[in-house]
Amino acid sequence: MSYLVSGRDPLAVATAILSAVSAGWSFWEMFQPQPASINELKGETSILQGQLEGVLVAGDRHAASSAEGLESIAIMVRRLVEQGARAEQAELAGRTTGELMASDDHDDRQIGQDVLTSSPQDAAEQLLRRAELERTRQNERFRQAARLLAPLQPSRAIAAYEQAVGVEASDSASWLEMGRLQSQAGLRVAAAANLARAAETEADPREKSCIDSEIAALLITERKFDEASQRLLNAIRMNNELIEDEGRTYLLLHDRSVFQMRFGDLALTRGDAADAERFFKSSVDLREQLRSAFPDDDDDRRELATAKAKLGRVAFLRGDFNRAADVYSEALLAFRELLKRTPTNELRRNVAISLKFLGKAEWGKGNRSKAINHSIESTAIFGALVQVDGGAGGWASDFAESVHDLAKMTVATSDFAGGAQHLRRAVSVLEPIAAAMPHERGIYSDLTAAIGFLGNIEIASDEVDAGSANIVRAFKMRVETYDADRSSLSALSSLATGRADLAIMELQTDPHRAYTQILEAISIFEELAEQAPDRPNLALGLPSAQKTKARIEEYWPQVMSN
């Protein structure tokens, strides 16, 4: 099941009922009202499951209603996914094509046919031109064009969505779809704002609750915990009210499992492992029940594997590396099986994330060779995803984090040349992305960290000139980031890391200056630890900085006299 399924979508409603039917009598009591004919619904299953979820074609007057039309749309959607599009955006483009082909308007039908015979982008250009001519259908035309552009040209799709809401500010669908595109591209602030507009303009309470949950996920990433908590509480409140009115339907219970997982994410990010585990377990238990209702649904399998992987994260943070490795191995197996049946980039990312954390767990167990092999495979998958879309799909940060982990593992085995090689590759991949997306500060920060880490490794390998150049370059980038937003604690933490790097660089040439730099770094880290005790990651560099200070005082005691 897709996460946000419209309550007005007949296909989604039918699928929800079929899900309940598949469960058997022990789970049947959870679903009200009961359908009149189980055999009739089970017969419908064979029709629905073979079709692309989300491609809804009304009427049988036009080509889109024929088996040939549906098959052509399904082929187009598969082709878009193969070209790197996200599955949900490809499916939405397919649905839009079906709606055009089933329209009473001759021009609509021709444009829909052009999607299949030419390309979605060419058809979108026609819709944009018609939007300028047809004042009465401008909003609809801009939204249709955006949906056709979104799979492969997300930036142009965002611009079309902006035109759609500029014409009709109450167009909740365009606000929602634009916000999701921006979220996937890493534009979290803009995404949260536009999703909030979607929630404000959405009349359906179920969809509104799901949108609140999506906003909460972005707020958690931005560490706006109180706002995220309020959004999730609103979502749960609406979900409770809907369950009271409509009963424990499949879709409402599915929503609840998502909300529980988001509460777990919130607790985990806050550092409360016990609460996180409680929420994740509740989500997994509910998803297990839902899986029994619709055992052949791959989306349900993926969501269950994702929820279980969250429990692996809790085990890892608690230091239970054996348990973490077992959970991530189970999730990895599930994702690999799903990927064989449906080769989408989302599933490739799921595989890569599972490999990344499995590698960390194996490292914690002391299995260094296994850990590095898992990390290498994870990094290769993320790198391939970045090459597909040039970073527009939001894979760049995943890639950067994976390379950072791999470089740390490699250096820990005393392979400094290997660590430097991994980081040089990361820099070569991230540099053009950061240049092409100057508005996305997260990618710039990832690039900065990679350059700084590379400089440290080069100095440790006696490549002093190259290492010093990279450390100085990274420090200038950190200053630039901090100057752009002096209220950012993350930017301040990065600045402290840069000063600690400068101290190490200057040890041999100017110990007095190195000592000044490390004292400044320690001061910032200590201030951050006191100012934001709920964000220990901001002061992770403090122990290392204190060791550097002690080393300077031991070997150059004269620095303390000045």
Side-chain angles (χ1 to χ4, degrees), residues 302 306 335 345-355:
R302 177 181 56 79
T306 300
F335 289 133
N345 285 339
E346 289 89 341
L347 284 170
R348 291 186 180 95
R349 180 175 185 265
N350 289 141
V351 168
I353 289 174
S354 298
L355 283 165

Side-chain angles (χ1 to χ4, degrees), residues 87-284:
E88 66 270 19
Q89 288 160 4
E91 290 169 4
L92 189 54
R95 179 192 296 184
T96 301
T97 303
E99 290 170 348
L100 287 166
M101 294 174 69
S103 172
D104 290 324
D105 185 288
H106 175 270
D107 290 336
D108 282 4
R109 295 198 299 276
Q110 184 58 53
I111 293 173
Q113 194 63 42
D114 288 345
V115 175
L116 303 177
T117 58
S118 180
S119 73
Q121 293 84 359
D122 290 343
E125 293 294 344
Q126 295 182 54
L127 288 167
L128 291 172
R129 287 194 295 270
R130 296 197 71 83
E132 300 299 330
L133 300 173
E134 302 175 7
R135 297 293 176 180
T136 58
R137 299 183 64 188
Q138 270 192 316
N139 167 257
E140 179 187 8
R141 292 304 196 192
F142 284 132
R143 184 172 62 247
Q144 289 171 330
R147 288 173 172 174
L148 294 179
L149 290 168
L152 300 179
Q153 296 183 0
S155 58
R156 293 194 62 208
I158 290 171
Y161 278 127
E162 288 173 342
Q163 289 176 291
V165 296
V167 173
E168 180 52 71
S170 62
D171 179 6
S172 62
S174 290
W175 286 117
L176 175 62
E177 292 160 20
M178 176 166 55
R180 285 176 171 170
L181 266 183
Q182 291 167 323
S183 175
Q184 291 160 4
L187 307 174
R188 293 189 291 268
V189 175
N194 288 329
L195 288 174
R197 292 295 301 272
E200 292 169 7
T201 54
E202 178 56 60
D204 183 273
R206 177 178 171 261
E207 294 209 18
K208 188 185 289 286
S209 70
C210 293
I211 296 170
D212 271 337
S213 175
E214 289 193 55
I215 296 170
L218 292 171
L219 293 171
I220 291 168
T221 303
E222 295 295 312
R223 306 191 70 84
K224 297 179 180 179
F225 298 140
D226 290 342
E227 294 177 51
S229 179
Q230 189 58 54
R231 289 283 182 179
L232 286 173
L233 288 172
N234 288 342
I236 287 288
R237 175 184 54 77
M238 286 185 277
N239 184 261
N240 285 337
E241 292 173 355
L242 288 168
I243 287 175
E244 287 180 9
D245 292 341
E246 303 175 17
R248 294 167 64 82
T249 67
Y250 185 96
L251 293 180
L252 292 177
L253 292 175
H254 173 272
D255 293 345
R256 171 155 294 200
S257 71
V258 174
F259 303 160
Q260 288 171 337
M261 190 159 65
R262 292 268 161 80
F263 267 117
D265 290 336
L266 176 59
L268 193 61
T269 309
R270 276 179 158 165
D272 189 340
D275 260 5
E277 185 174 36
R278 178 168 60 86
F279 283 119
F280 290 147
K281 280 184 175 178
S282 295
S283 180
V284 168

Side-chain angles (χ1 to χ4, degrees), residues 37-58:
S37 170
I38 293 178
N39 290 332
E40 178 182 348
L41 287 172
K42 284 190 173 179
E44 194 176 353
T45 303
S46 62
I47 299 173
L48 290 178
Q49 287 185 337
Q51 303 299 340
L52 180 68
E53 180 181 356
V55 178
L56 181 63
V57 183

Side-chain angles (χ1 to χ4, degrees), residues 460-514:
S461 305
D462 291 329
E463 298 178 50
V464 178
D465 290 343
S468 296
N470 278 321
I471 285 177
V472 170
R473 180 188 174 193
F475 183 72
K476 290 179 179 178
M477 294 169 72
R478 296 179 198 275
V479 171
E480 179 187 341
T481 300
Y482 178 65
D483 285 343
D485 184 6
R486 288 179 173 261
S487 65
S488 170
L489 297 183
S490 296
L492 184 59
S493 176
S494 175
L495 192 63
T497 299
R499 289 198 176 279
D501 290 347
L502 287 174
I504 293 173
M505 181 189 78
E506 294 168 341
L507 273 178
Q508 301 297 330
T509 58
D510 192 343
H512 282 88
R513 184 169 175 77

